[in-house]
Amino acid sequence: MREWSFKRNDHIPPIGRKVRNNMTNQQEDGIWLHCSNSAVRRASRRLGQLYGHVMGDSDLKSTQFSLMSQIARSGEPTLKNLAEAMVMDLSALGHTLKPLIRDGMVELVPDERDRRVKRVRLTEAGTAKQQELLTLWRDAQSRFDQAFGKEKSAELRKALALISSAEFAEAFTKS
Amino acid sequence: MREWSFKRNDHIPPIGRKVRNNMTNQQEDGIWLHCSNSAVRRASRRLGQLYGHVMGDSDLKSTQFSLMSQIARSGEPTLKNLAEAMVMDLSALGHTLKPLIRDGMVELVPDERDRRVKRVRLTEAGTAKQQELLTLWRDAQSRFDQAFGKEKSAELRKALALISSAEFAEAFTKS
DNA sequence: TTTATTTACTGGTATATACCACAAAATATG
DNA sequence: CATATTTTGTGGTATATACCAGTAAATAAA
């Protein structure tokens, strides 16, 4: 057996200070308690895993389900608008759509008035699949609400929507 | 000019209901207001971009900076422990480390007592680089605190740490 | 109307991240 | 001790995502 040092969260060492920390448990101090970016990414990994497991062996990843749900919700958005809504780089969106297009879940249709523009649309199969997975998604979301608190859950989403907004980006950048 | 429908957030349509929404602005209703997973991912994309721009042309991505900061903070964690701390899949961590190892920022050292185990360590160059970027990180983090509120910022990180915890995963899964 | 600029998308390249199957070492079991 | 099981990593494959450098269409400017 190795000699373990014990948790001591009383004096929080500054970022990047070496502590020779061999602790196994999760409660230890970490960068995510100091860096909002790290904190959000870390949580997104956890939720990706959690929601993903609920989605299970369905053909779609939780990210794909999100994207398709947003497409359905938007009607028939242009790539540009969809990218903005998802806070995603336009080219990243293009790449992300490829597997969905390949699998016949989504199709791109040229806009009639502006030949530069392409609109994103769920195929019939895509719509059906999205509807089908709604049940699983609801299970995941209700588990989340249960574990985190329905109230706090809604508040959190609102806070995150604020952070994701263009106005926030503006404020962050200009200051 | 196209005919635009106008924003109406008064009646929030359920997920996956088609609305034929051509709105350009960000305030529109979206999946992220209903799905915590989507909300967190979306925010993580935004923050990735924002922090990333502050990091600018430095050799490290903001994700790499986070990871290196956690390594520094942990002392000399095993791959397993680091993966757990980061809430990252072990193999994903391995892959993520490759560019850092290639660039001489990080090295893997075999554990002396358990030949299965490898420990992660910042090289001298890595430590220096991490220290150097601390300034940029501090700028980004203080911009965030400014824009979101220092209080709320700390609360948010705590909430996200809870969501990222093993206990939360437990609660989510068992329920 | 010709030219310059902006807009919307595509493709390349690199990192981020997950899951699965496999290998090797350590540990538990009979 | 010999075998079964668990633990820790590695490599493959696929999606997620960013940034940059084009390209073509639309629009603004001269």
Side-chain angles (χ1 to χ4, degrees):
Chain A
M1 182 173 347
R2 263 197 302 272
E3 65 324 359
W4 300 97
S5 58
F6 277 63
K7 185 176 55 145
R8 33 167 182 164
N9 271 339
D10 29 316
H11 87 303
I12 297 175
I15 288 187
R17 179 67 55 81
K18 185 169 274 192
V19 181
R20 235 310 178 180
N21 179 346
N22 287 332
M23 294 179 286
T24 303
N25 74 63
Q26 301 291 282
Q27 289 85 251
E28 77 181 86
D29 185 38
I31 179 71
W32 53 86
L33 287 182
H34 306 274
C35 174
S36 302
N37 183 32
S38 304
V40 173
R41 284 191 87 77
R42 186 160 170 267
S44 94
R45 286 191 292 267
R46 176 68 81 189
L47 289 188
Q49 293 162 19
L50 259 24
Y51 277 65
H53 289 153
V54 174
M55 292 309 210
D57 293 330
S58 68
D59 303 325
L60 298 182
K61 314 275 179 166
S62 73
T63 46
Q64 299 178 314
F65 175 76
S66 292
L67 185 51
M68 288 175 63
S69 294
Q70 185 56 33
I71 295 170
R73 180 173 283 267
S74 292
E76 205 165 277
T78 68
L79 281 171
K80 182 89 196 311
N81 285 173
L82 183 57
E84 269 165 16
M86 298 293 291
V87 187
M88 207 179 274
D89 181 90
L90 177 59
S91 78
L93 174 61
H95 292 145
T96 299
L97 284 173
K98 268 172 205 159
L100 290 171
I101 294 172
R102 177 200 60 201
D103 297 343
M105 299 286 103
V106 162
E107 55 190 356
L108 297 183
V109 295
D111 185 275
E112 291 161 18
R113 306 168 221 242
D114 189 333
R115 276 181 303 170
R116 290 170 303 179
V117 169
K118 288 184 184 170
R119 288 178 177 276
V120 191
R121 172 199 290 167
L122 294 190
T123 62
E124 218 173 299
T127 305
K129 182 58 83 181
Q130 194 269 346
Q131 291 287 323
E132 179 193 330
L133 293 197
L134 253 178
T135 309
L136 294 179
W137 171 81
R138 266 194 269 268
D139 177 35
Q141 183 58 34
S142 83
R143 280 163 184 274
F144 181 88
D145 286 351
Q146 183 102 39
F148 191 64
K150 206 170 166 61
E151 290 286 298
K152 283 178 61 189
S153 174
E155 277 170 36
L156 176 66
R157 288 194 299 275
K158 241 181 267 182
L160 292 170
L162 171 62
I163 289 169
S164 309
S165 74
E167 296 75 51
F168 185 85
E170 179 85 3
F172 182 100
T173 304
K174 296 301 182 203
S175 75
Chain B
M1 170 153 19
R2 258 191 312 267
E3 61 330 349
W4 299 98
S5 59
F6 276 61
K7 184 176 57 146
R8 32 163 184 170
N9 273 338
D10 28 317
H11 88 306
I12 297 175
I15 288 187
R17 180 66 56 81
K18 185 169 274 193
V19 182
R20 235 308 177 181
N21 178 346
N22 287 332
M23 294 180 286
T24 303
N25 73 63
Q26 301 291 283
Q27 288 87 254
E28 77 179 85
D29 185 37
I31 178 71
W32 53 87
L33 287 182
H34 305 274
C35 174
S36 302
N37 183 33
S38 304
V40 173
R41 282 192 89 75
R42 187 160 170 266
S44 95
R45 284 191 293 267
R46 177 68 80 191
L47 289 189
Q49 293 163 19
L50 260 23
Y51 278 65
H53 290 153
V54 174
M55 293 308 211
D57 294 330
S58 69
D59 303 324
L60 297 182
K61 313 276 179 168
S62 72
T63 45
Q64 299 178 314
F65 175 76
S66 292
L67 185 51
M68 287 174 64
S69 294
Q70 186 56 34
I71 295 170
R73 181 173 282 267
S74 292
E76 204 165 279
T78 68
L79 282 171
K80 181 87 196 313
N81 285 172
L82 183 58
E84 270 164 14
M86 298 294 289
V87 186
M88 208 179 273
D89 181 272
L90 178 59
S91 77
L93 174 61
H95 291 144
T96 300
L97 284 173
K98 267 171 206 160
L100 289 171
I101 293 173
R102 176 202 59 202
D103 297 342
M105 300 285 103
V106 162
E107 56 190 355
L108 297 184
V109 295
D111 185 275
E112 290 163 18
R113 307 170 220 240
D114 188 335
R115 277 182 301 170
R116 290 170 303 180
V117 170
K118 288 184 184 170
R119 289 178 176 275
V120 190
R121 174 199 289 167
L122 294 190
T123 62
E124 218 172 300
T127 304
K129 182 58 83 179
Q130 193 270 345
Q131 291 287 321
E132 179 192 330
L133 293 196
L134 253 178
T135 309
L136 294 178
W137 171 79
R138 266 195 269 267
D139 178 34
Q141 183 58 34
S142 84
R143 280 163 183 274
F144 181 89
D145 286 350
Q146 183 103 39
F148 191 64
K150 207 169 165 63
E151 290 285 297
K152 283 179 60 189
S153 174
E155 278 169 36
L156 176 65
R157 289 194 298 276
K158 241 181 267 183
L160 292 169
L162 170 62
I163 289 170
S164 308
S165 73
E167 296 76 50
F168 185 84
E170 178 84 4
F172 182 100
T173 304
K174 296 300 181 203
S175 75

